[in-house]
Amino acid sequence: LAAYRYQVVKAKYLRDHDPIRDPKLLADFDPKLPLFTTGKDWTKLQHLQGIDRFQVFVSHYEVEVLPNDLFRSHLKTKLDEIKAKKRA
């Protein structure tokens, strides 16, 4: 967000796959300020009680794993291992 000249006033970092159910999650956030989240977290956050008090913006981004030949090779190895275990 800083790259787009937004001043981040407060941030909250959650562990990956957090269920985002804590009703106090946004208690210390000012509903007069915009709230930014990822698309992945929005799928859960939109159901949080009180979210309707906030103006929410969902950020979209793409991720690329580089070098992708190395990643593909690693992925193929892991998938082959899974297939072998299923056959055994």
Side-chain angles (χ1 to χ4, degrees), residues 12-53:
K12 189 159 288 204
Y13 301 96
L14 305 174
R15 70 185 192 282
D16 197 22
H17 302 290
D18 190 293
I20 308 180
R21 292 189 188 126
D22 182 357
K24 297 178 184 174
L25 179 68
L26 302 175
D28 56 343
F29 282 77
D30 183 351
K32 294 177 188 148
L33 297 175
L35 183 68
F36 286 83
T37 187
T38 63
K40 180 181 172 189
D41 286 341
W42 176 243
T43 61
K44 300 173 197 172
L45 190 61
Q46 65 184 321
H47 302 291
L48 190 68
Q49 182 180 1
I51 193 65
D52 55 329
R53 298 180 309 134

Side-chain angles (χ1 to χ4, degrees), residues 76-88:
K76 182 180 181 323
T77 300
K78 293 298 180 186
L79 290 172
D80 288 346
E81 288 172 7
I82 292 169
K83 287 178 187 176
K85 284 181 185 178
K86 286 186 175 182
R87 281 189 230 122

Side-chain angles (χ1 to χ4, degrees), residues 61-79:
Y61 57 92
E62 293 182 19
V63 176
E64 185 176 6
V65 179
L66 296 174
N68 59 34
D69 287 345
L70 182 62
F71 176 70
R72 282 189 191 128
S73 173
H74 171 75
L75 186 58
K76 182 180 181 323
T77 300
K78 293 298 180 186
L79 290 172

